[in-house]
Amino acid sequence: MTDTQRPAIELLIAAPRGFCAGVDRAIQIVELAIQKHGAPVYVRHEIVHNKFVVDLAAGEGRDLRRGTGPSARRRAGRVLRAWRAQVGARGGEDRGLDYLDATCPLVSKVHRQAERLVASGRHILFVGHAGHPEVIGTFGQVPAGQMTLIETVEDVAKLNPADPDNLAFLTQTTLSVDDTRAIVDATIARFPTIVAPKADDICYATSNRQNAVKAIAQSCDMVLVIGAPNSSNSVRLVEVAEREGTSAKLIQRATDLDFAWLAGVGTLGITAGASAPEILVRELVDRIATRFDVTEREVEMTRETIAFKLPRGLEAA
């Protein structure tokens, strides 16, 4: 097929998209750790929810061996303190091991809030998705029984806390902004004295990427979201696009694209979850260009300038 015979397609590429500051920091920690200490560097869990990034890191000398299933995830959160004690809480005195915490600072902030609220005697209602590593990790910061998970507005109606006037709520950082607002509103309506966090727990990157998808979705015949199925923020982007009335699909790589999806599509939206690198966006655009006469336009809603500090000992590296 010649270029003149190719159907035209306009690509609306959402911005912000892709890597957030927390993911950038986590990957940088692994890279600098191997520069400073040499291979192998062991990562307790997937450094980010993206197979391309994990495989690339492993190929460059990082040993990303990790367990699978509930027990491994539980160790990533619930047994974090015990694991630190095993390797040595102050630099590995017991086994000669060093460890670096690559948890996003915004997630760590939620952990500290949970600890303070429980220490003050409050029971926490935690808005999140059961089984997500962030939820498991947050529950692992406090004694068992001190937090209750709520996933839906219907869950709020079923709650029967022992002390309804001594509650607080926190949320997972990668939720749908709209869904979470509905759950929080229902929670406050039922428990007017509940203590809210000082600032929204949903991270800036999640909110920004959802707003960017909203900005393009109604102008698109379809939206493709690049991200992993176990990436909460990526799955939420698909849901956001669909709620705007647009067909949307989650893909991990350009090779996952079925060209049959694009039949009759004149305008295609593209975005990427916070764990997906920009190279995967360009890979997708290039694949589409093998069948279509492509024009692309970036739709930028806001510019992100946030950066997080590295752990002590890595700044010099």
Side-chain angles (χ1 to χ4, degrees), residues 231-252:
S231 166
S232 178
N233 74 85
S234 299
V235 174
R236 302 291 82 75
L237 291 175
V238 174
E239 294 173 353
V240 167
E242 290 175 339
R243 286 181 182 174
E244 294 296 313
T246 306
S247 172
K249 292 186 181 294
L250 180 69
I251 62 172
Q252 296 195 70

Side-chain angles (χ1 to χ4, degrees), residues 150-200:
I150 51 178
E151 299 186 84
T152 65
V153 170
E154 290 71 27
D155 287 344
V156 177
K158 299 173 185 176
L159 291 171
N160 188 27
D163 187 357
D165 291 323
N166 200 27
L167 300 173
F169 75 84
L170 297 170
T171 78
Q172 184 180 326
T173 64
T174 54
L175 299 175
S176 159
V177 174
D178 295 334
D179 283 350
T180 304
R181 184 179 298 113
I183 296 171
V184 167
D185 287 348
T187 303
I188 294 173
R190 182 157 182 220
F191 306 109
T193 61
I194 195 168
V195 172
K198 293 181 179 179
D200 193 345

Side-chain angles (χ1 to χ4, degrees), residues 192-309:
T193 61
I194 195 168
V195 172
K198 293 181 179 179
D200 193 345
D201 288 335
I202 296 179
C203 81
Y204 77 95
T206 296
S207 299
N208 288 347
R209 279 149 190 72
Q210 290 179 21
N211 288 336
V213 167
K214 288 180 181 179
I216 67 171
Q218 292 187 5
S219 300
C220 296
D221 301 306
M222 171 179 279
V223 172
L224 294 179
V225 178
I226 302 171
N230 62 333
S231 166
S232 178
N233 74 85
S234 299
V235 174
R236 302 291 82 75
L237 291 175
V238 174
E239 294 173 353
V240 167
E242 290 175 339
R243 286 181 182 174
E244 294 296 313
T246 306
S247 172
K249 292 186 181 294
L250 180 69
I251 62 172
Q252 296 195 70
R253 296 290 300 270
T255 50
D256 296 334
L257 170 65
D258 183 344
F259 279 107
W261 300 341
L262 303 185
V265 172
T267 303
L268 177 69
I270 295 176
T271 190
S275 298
E278 181 65 14
I279 190 173
L280 298 186
V281 176
R282 303 320 309 172
E283 177 187 80
L284 177 60
V285 172
D286 290 344
R287 177 164 163 76
I288 294 170
T290 63
R291 301 278 189 94
F292 290 85
D293 182 10
V294 169
T295 59
E296 60 178 283
R297 177 164 60 93
E298 183 176 76
V299 180
E300 184 177 71
M301 294 301 294
T302 187
R303 186 158 296 182
E304 295 176 346
T305 58
I306 293 175
F308 295 127
K309 292 182 179 179

